[in-house]
Amino acid sequence: MQRLIEEGEHEHQDFKFAISDARKIARSVSAFANNDGGSLLIGVKDNGVIAGVRNDEDIYVVEQAAQMYCEPSVDVRFEAFRTDPGVVVIRATVGASDVRPVRVREADGSLRAYYRVADENIAAHPLMVRAWQMQADTSERPALTLDGEATAILDAIDRAGGTPLQVNDIAIAARLSERTTADVIVRLAAVGVLTFRYNGHAFGITRPE
């Protein structure tokens, strides 16, 4: 456990001193499930200080978050670690979802998908969500075909030299409408030719590394 805590918070690990808001926890579950999975260390403060879980309700709230606030629901595996007499830390592990997006039912009734970037849960770009949905729907999964529109978009992205671009910038460079550009980006992202990278402020579109 100490080794895990020394790693700090990162793309696959989040510290939670206390669990009280199931919907907020659901965002972490969604973010991990839509990425490559991860763990919540419950009973650990943001600075890595071990406080221990306060009561068994923490596990219930995480289960509620994963089952009631995530769509589709997500399985979470729990492990308890005793660090000192009377001090217990719980690791709640979320696996990568086989079917993305995993979305959270927000307070207003809307569904929103999240993605884990470094130590943050970021709302997924709408085109990321569409690409995931296309991957999940075998009847709509595209074949890799590079028509003139796709070639123009890839050329525009390649000219950026690895800098992630926004849809409107790609549309202008490729001389296409934003709607057409968005549709082609979704198709190319669904087959892994394009990806989305977060720059600290927003997701941009680029080639996979």
Side-chain angles (χ1 to χ4, degrees):
M1 177 53 62
Q2 189 59 44
R3 178 184 59 80
L4 292 175
I5 293 173
E6 288 173 356
E7 291 178 5
E9 295 182 302
H10 52 71
E11 185 173 308
H12 303 295
Q13 182 166 277
D14 199 2
F15 295 162
K16 294 295 179 186
F17 168 53
I19 304 291
S20 58
D21 186 335
R23 183 171 280 110
K24 184 176 181 180
I25 296 302
R27 294 170 187 150
S28 292
V29 173
S30 166
F32 283 139
N34 287 326
N35 197 326
D36 293 323
S39 297
L40 300 170
L41 296 187
I42 305 168
V44 179
K45 296 182 179 181
D46 288 345
N47 61 3
V49 172
I50 298 174
V53 295
R54 297 179 303 172
N55 54 62
D56 292 340
E57 286 295 308
D58 288 346
I59 294 177
Y60 169 75
V61 176
V62 175
E63 289 180 330
Q64 183 185 41
Q67 297 296 319
M68 296 180 60
Y69 288 96
C70 288
E71 188 175 306
S73 62
V74 177
D75 290 329
V76 181
R77 187 177 76 252
F78 295 94
E79 299 170 273
F81 297 85
R82 189 175 301 279
T83 59
D84 287 303
V87 179
V88 174
V89 172
I90 293 175
R91 179 167 66 178
T93 301
V94 178
S97 179
D98 292 332
V99 178
R100 298 182 296 178
V102 172
R103 295 182 291 180
V104 175
R105 188 167 297 281
E106 300 287 1
D108 61 2
S110 64
L111 291 170
R112 179 174 295 173
Y114 291 84
Y115 193 77
R116 186 76 175 176
V117 179
D119 60 351
E120 295 184 82
N121 304 322
I122 309 296
H125 192 290
L127 298 189
M128 290 175 71
V129 175
R130 285 178 56 190
W132 290 336
Q133 290 169 328
M134 185 172 286
Q135 288 173 335
D137 186 349
T138 56
S139 67
E140 300 226 356
R141 192 173 297 165
L144 179 56
T145 56
L146 296 181
D147 53 23
E149 293 169 344
T151 299
I153 286 171
L154 292 175
D155 286 346
I157 290 171
D158 289 342
R159 287 196 297 272
T163 301
L165 300 177
Q166 299 302 307
V167 175
N168 61 325
D169 295 324
I170 297 171
I172 292 170
R175 298 183 179 180
L176 297 169
S177 70
E178 285 194 28
R179 180 174 181 176
T180 296
T181 300
D183 289 345
V184 176
I185 287 170
V186 167
R187 176 162 57 86
L188 294 174
V191 295
V193 175
L194 293 180
T195 192
F196 298 83
R197 189 174 303 149
Y198 192 70
N199 64 7
H201 304 285
F203 280 104
I205 297 100
T206 186
R207 294 271 203 168
E209 293 181 349

